[in-house]
Amino acid sequence: MAWYPGAERMELQPESDEQPAIVPTQVIFHSIAAPWTPQRIYEYWRDSTNLESHFGVGYDGGVGQFVGTQTRADANMRANRRADGTGAVSIESASNDRHTDPWTDAQVAALTALGVWLHRTHGIPLRACRTADDPGYGFHRMFPDWSDGGTACPGDARVRQFYDVVLPGIVAGAAGGGGGGGTGGSTPLPPPRADSGPARYRVTINGLEYGYGAHGPQVREVGEALVAAGHGSHYTSGPDEDWRDADTLNYQDYQRGLGYSGAAADGVPGEESLRRLLGRLPSPRRVSLAHVVSAARTDPGAEQGHQTYGGEVRIVEQALADEGFLEQRWVDGSLGTRTVEAYADFQRSLGYSGTDANGIPGQRSLRELGARRGFDVTD
């Protein structure tokens, strides 16, 4: 088992002795959503849960280690230990309870030094992970496989620091011989060889995937927005619903146009740049205006409970119920008379009247409802 000389050893038992061995190939940074010291993180793992991380870092930069880095820790879901025996080293860090604060300068220094030591000790490649099982450094929300149903950990401020400060600091420390965290090593390592070709990993933002291999209407929307913004030169066809290298290169041009550089301009979206490109963060819940209009014209005259596009209608009905225009019992996927009446009431609340408030959704009113209740509208 490997123990970091720059950490206070707080060994968790029986986990440290009984959990299976791993070959570390990844480092995953977390925020624990609590302003805890390493001692308090250790006590939480020991007393309150069957989960644990390898390390904990306090606001003051203090580091505690709870499990040796060649033993599995359970903070990373399917990255904990894979069928081939590889796994991830997990590093929790103190934060506020909403994951919104940045790492302190002391935390950045501690994470950087620890990252250098992990590179030297286990050969972790000096790059951001490109897929969920690709060796390198990452943060917990980077890939769905690293969490149970999605996570906000760490928040946007720390994701930016990962790309702008922490990962570049690890690379510089490894190349220059600094940041060793007390290892005593002073032999400089050669600079990492730059990867050839565009970045090939994916991120999940607001429940939707972006980056190489991502698929869906959100990919086409990004591509069309890039073209409209003058960053479509790498397309020979498309854009379409499959994210390819051309999408990455175009997005990289866009990021550089925003002033990003280095790892922050690798062509894979971040939440801030995506919001600036699209004016919002796309939602995984989508409703076709044409489908909803068809249902509004079909369902009221059909037999009770008839569903034309039940899944999309249910999203609209739930939004109307949440806005107070429809009783919850009528959220059933059938856009019948009561839903039409409820939608007409919603239209009137927006200032429409006469035939403009007939209960048949229009583009503007449906988009307004979606903006209020978290779904996107397509033509």
Side-chain angles (χ1 to χ4, degrees):
M1 292 189 295
W3 293 87
Y4 176 45
E8 181 180 355
R9 183 165 171 168
M10 308 175 192
E11 191 167 0
L12 283 168
Q13 292 293 357
E15 292 86 351
S16 187
D17 287 342
E18 295 183 358
Q19 294 191 155
I22 63 169
V23 176
T25 60
Q26 294 175 323
V27 176
I28 302 177
F29 296 99
H30 301 244
S31 293
I32 202 166
W36 289 347
T37 63
Q39 179 66 35
R40 179 66 184 89
I41 296 172
Y42 163 75
E43 292 168 354
Y44 179 70
W45 295 150
R46 183 193 65 191
D47 301 335
S48 303
T49 178
N50 61 353
L51 300 178
E52 71 284 323
S53 61
H54 289 94
F55 295 94
V57 179
Y59 276 132
D60 65 355
V63 181
Q65 184 171 357
F66 317 123
V67 178
T69 53
Q70 291 164 295
T71 299
R72 186 195 76 196
D74 295 328
N76 303 311
M77 287 296 289
R78 283 178 283 277
N80 293 329
R81 186 178 191 275
R82 305 180 185 88
D84 63 0
T86 62
V89 174
S90 51
I91 305 174
E92 288 284 359
S93 53
S95 71
N96 64 29
D97 61 4
R98 301 178 307 282
H99 298 295
T100 56
D101 58 337
W103 282 309
T104 65
D105 289 346
Q107 284 178 308
V108 167
L111 295 173
T112 301
L114 178 52
V116 172
W117 179 81
L118 289 165
H119 165 74
R120 289 181 173 153
T121 303
H122 299 300
I124 308 296
L126 296 168
R127 67 184 184 217
C129 298
R130 298 165 296 186
T131 65
D133 57 3
D134 181 52
Y137 295 79
F139 46 87
H140 196 200
R141 76 186 217 200
M142 182 180 274
F143 297 108
D145 281 356
W146 291 354
S147 63
D148 183 9
T151 178
C153 157
D156 292 348
R158 295 188 178 193
V159 169
R160 288 193 294 271
Q161 287 176 302
F162 171 83
Y163 284 116
D164 294 345
V165 184
V166 175
L167 185 56
I170 292 169
V171 173
T183 63
S186 59
T187 303
L189 297 176
R193 182 178 64 85
D195 292 324
S196 58
R200 288 188 169 177
Y201 69 94
R202 295 191 298 277
V203 295
T204 300
I205 301 175
N206 200 29
L208 294 171
E209 285 195 331
Y210 301 89
Y212 189 80
H215 173 81
Q218 78 279 7
V219 174
R220 181 189 297 275
E221 183 177 5
V222 168
E224 291 174 348
L226 288 170
V227 171
H231 298 292
S233 63
H234 296 282
Y235 289 129
T236 56
S237 63
D240 56 26
E241 295 194 354
D242 291 305
W243 192 292
R244 302 181 178 88
D245 286 342
D247 298 277
T248 302
L249 292 170
N250 286 328
Y251 203 92
Q252 185 175 47
D253 289 345
Y254 163 68
Q255 289 170 321
R256 288 171 176 166
L258 295 178
Y260 296 173
S261 61
D266 66 354
V268 180
E271 183 174 317
E272 180 181 358
S273 64
L274 186 64
R275 192 188 298 275
R276 291 175 69 175
L277 177 66
L278 303 178
R280 73 190 207 295
L281 295 180
S283 169
R285 299 196 304 155
R286 288 178 173 254
V287 169
S288 163
L289 174 64
H291 290 175
V292 177
V293 169
S294 176
R297 298 189 186 282
T298 302
D299 291 352
E303 63 182 73
Q304 181 67 31
H306 178 272
Q307 295 184 7
T308 305
Y309 292 99
E312 292 170 273
V313 166
R314 190 180 295 274
I315 291 173
V316 175
E317 288 179 319
Q318 186 61 60
L320 289 170
D322 291 341
E323 288 290 306
F325 295 101
L326 182 67
E327 292 183 48
Q328 186 65 41
R329 60 179 173 147
W330 301 119
V331 179
D332 58 4
S334 176
L335 210 160
T337 302
R338 287 181 176 83
T339 304
V340 170
E341 292 172 350
Y343 200 92
D345 288 341
F346 172 64
Q347 289 170 321
R348 283 189 284 271
S349 76
L350 299 178
Y352 298 128
S353 61
T355 58
D356 291 331
N358 61 359
I360 306 297
Q363 185 73 255
R364 291 178 61 188
S365 63
L366 193 58
R367 284 190 184 278
E368 175 63 26
L369 185 60
R372 294 184 184 188
R373 292 297 165 179
F375 63 86
D376 285 348
V377 178
T378 62
D379 293 334

